[in-house]
Amino acid sequence: MNDQTARARGVLDEAFGDSEEPVAVVSAPGRVNLIGGHTDYNEGFVLPAGIDRRTVVAARPRDDRTVRVRSSNFDQTTSFDLADVSPSEDAPWSDYVGGVAERLLDRGHDVGGTELAVVGDVPMGAGLSSSAAFEVAVGAALAAVHDLSLDDEELVTACWEAETEFVGLSCGIMDQYAAVHAERESALFLDCRDETHEDVPLPSEDVTVVATNTNVQRELVDSAYNDRVATCQEGVDFFDDALDEPVESLRDVSVEAFEAHASELPETVRKRVRHVVTENERVREAAAALREGRLDRVGTLLDESHASLRDDYEVSIDELDAVASIADDLDGVFGSRMTGAGFGGCVVTLVRPDVAEAVTAAIDERYRDRTGIEPDVHVCNPDGGVRRHDR
Ligand code: GLA
């Protein structure tokens, strides 16, 4: 047990008293997406890695139908009845627990009363997917406590349904998938259409992954996100009519087909679709280049991805652009891009390990000088997916 797992057990006892019941302790990682911005809900490709910032859940059964949850980060304890799970007004963070429990029940799993304590160090609201880490850790903890027969595939799906159906963000599968399947020292080249992946090594002697939190979070991120999802659907409808082959998602639109019809599209739809179809190509190429150790090429693709997210998808903000351009001016930086949904949160930068310390110090200082905001610059070691710590 490490510090966080011991802490989760301690918080459980403090919040709910001692008990003879066996305790399961589970953790799941945040993730940083190296490339593939806003491609997952278009059934495209992404290249995320788990990070060594994890959400840890300690849990034990109760003999009734009540779920009680203590979150250290939110410094709040709340509870709900499994017979009537609905979104919480006073503790919205607990919707990740309610949502996962509700989806598991709906899928026929026999979830019973539970006490859970949640601790962890995945930065929240930073685009590093603290919510998926939370959902997956909760799902795996409920499975452990109630002996549910839940495989990895269903864990991903139930957590994704919790986010899309219960919490209400029309996100793709990437975050929940990465929180379950991530591997140490690797990224996942994930095909979001058939939900399969290949590991792509990310050896710590060759490359350091840095995530810089701009510490800016715009309002209405969820509505801007859902708006992008809807515009992509307009693109799907257009190409389904325009092409001979059926188009079920933008994954089915090649760069050539896009170019042949681009001038017929309204400007906003054209820009959004151009981002998605070119980004899918960049992800494929980045995965291949990473496998071959061509890190300069990977870096260039990250830079191009950032420009496309900024200019065509229009989900960047000045502070994200500032970090990306500061990083790109530094020696030993392969490339940089915004990661996550955008409108704030983090930039991911790939750096040569021997200069990682100098690069993080320089980003920290120059960003503060340029914006007056204190950033958080994290070196992220690619870490494994969900795991149990109590056995
Ligand atoms: C958020 C969503 C993901 C993905 C990214 C953008 O993190 O949760 O599913 O769409 O944005 O790439």
Side-chain angles (χ1 to χ4, degrees):
M1 289 242 169
N2 63 25
D3 286 358
Q4 292 278 10
T5 54
R7 213 175 128 230
R9 284 196 77 127
V11 171
L12 187 72
D13 288 342
E14 245 168 63
F16 306 115
D18 292 336
S19 155
E20 297 293 302
E21 297 289 355
V23 175
V25 185
V26 177
S27 73
R31 64 97 190 93
V32 61
N33 186 23
L34 303 184
I35 190 164
H38 292 268
T39 46
D40 63 346
Y41 53 82
N42 290 299
E43 298 191 322
F45 301 99
V46 288
L47 194 64
I51 60 174
D52 53 347
R53 309 286 156 123
R54 305 181 72 90
T55 297
V56 184
V57 172
R60 66 190 180 206
R62 292 170 58 90
D63 53 16
D64 58 11
R65 305 283 295 158
T66 302
V67 175
R68 302 186 73 198
V69 201
R70 168 75 194 167
S71 162
S72 310
N73 289 343
F74 289 95
D75 194 16
Q76 215 178 356
T77 306
T78 188
S79 63
F80 59 87
D81 189 328
L82 285 168
D84 174 28
V85 192
S86 51
S88 164
E89 275 176 24
D90 358 310
W93 57 268
S94 70
D95 288 351
Y96 295 111
V97 183
V100 172
E102 195 260 342
R103 292 321 303 158
L104 290 174
L105 285 168
D106 193 63
R107 293 176 146 269
H109 293 287
D110 195 11
V111 179
T114 316
E115 284 163 354
L116 304 105
V118 191
V119 306
D121 58 3
V122 186
M124 289 185 281
L128 298 176
S129 212
S130 58
S131 56
F134 189 11
E135 288 153 1
V136 166
V138 166
L142 292 175
V145 166
H146 301 293
D147 211 10
L148 311 180
S149 59
L150 188 68
D151 62 14
D152 284 353
E153 196 182 332
E154 195 177 6
L155 177 59
V156 172
T157 307
C159 292
W160 174 77
E161 287 176 352
E163 184 89 43
T164 50
E165 292 173 26
F166 198 85
V167 179
L169 184 76
S170 317
C171 66
I173 201 78
M174 166 171 69
D175 302 343
Q176 290 77 18
Y177 193 101
V180 171
H181 292 280
E183 293 284 344
R184 285 207 171 96
E185 300 236 326
S186 291
L188 307 177
F189 176 51
L190 166 60
D191 180 335
C192 299
R193 169 163 272 174
D194 60 14
E195 294 178 24
T196 57
H197 76 275
E198 289 162 22
D199 290 340
V200 181
L202 209 54
S204 52
E205 62 270 26
D206 296 339
V207 60
T208 301
V209 180
V210 175
T212 303
N213 188 350
T214 55
N215 282 329
V216 179
Q217 188 68 66
R218 285 274 168 86
E219 299 292 302
L220 300 176
V221 177
D222 289 8
S223 63
Y225 186 97
N226 289 342
D227 171 73
R228 297 299 184 283
V229 176
T231 307
C232 289
Q233 186 57 44
E234 285 179 46
V236 171
D237 295 342
F238 172 85
F239 279 101
D240 195 36
D241 285 343
L243 303 184
D244 294 339
E245 300 293 312
V247 172
E248 281 169 16
S249 72
L250 291 183
R251 162 71 172 273
D252 296 319
V253 180
S254 66
V255 174
E256 295 70 34
F258 165 74
E259 280 168 358
H261 293 276
S263 62
E264 299 156 40
L265 286 162
E267 189 187 355
T268 304
V269 184
R270 177 166 67 238
K271 288 164 79 173
R272 306 295 186 254
V273 175
R274 180 165 56 207
H275 166 72
V276 174
V277 300
T278 58
E279 185 79 347
N280 276 329
E281 290 308 306
R282 285 186 285 271
V283 183
R284 285 191 227 242
E285 197 191 335
L290 197 54
R291 276 206 191 92
E292 290 158 13
R294 291 186 290 119
L295 286 157
D296 285 326
R297 182 65 194 146
V298 177
T300 304
L301 291 162
L302 261 67
D303 295 343
E304 289 175 10
S305 167
H306 184 83
S308 179
L309 286 158
R310 182 191 60 210
D311 301 337
D312 275 349
Y313 219 64
E314 298 180 283
V315 288
S316 189
I317 56 170
D318 291 348
E319 290 83 357
L320 288 165
D321 298 343
V323 176
S325 89
I326 289 167
D328 278 338
D329 283 344
L330 299 169
D331 281 345
V333 166
F334 297 114
S336 253
R337 64 180 279 277
M338 54 153 283
T339 186
F343 301 106
C346 277
V347 168
V348 58
T349 303
L350 298 183
V351 185
R352 232 174 49 218
D354 59 310
V355 294
E357 226 171 279
V359 166
T360 56
I363 294 176
D364 187 274
E365 191 190 321
R366 293 187 195 182
Y367 177 76
R368 199 166 345 113
D369 285 354
R370 203 182 285 188
T371 62
I373 305 167
E374 188 81 39
D376 288 310
V377 190
H378 310 278
V379 168
C380 301
N381 298 303
D383 201 3
V386 65
R387 56 179 179 257
R388 266 184 91 164
H389 300 269
D390 53 300
R391 55 179 193 199

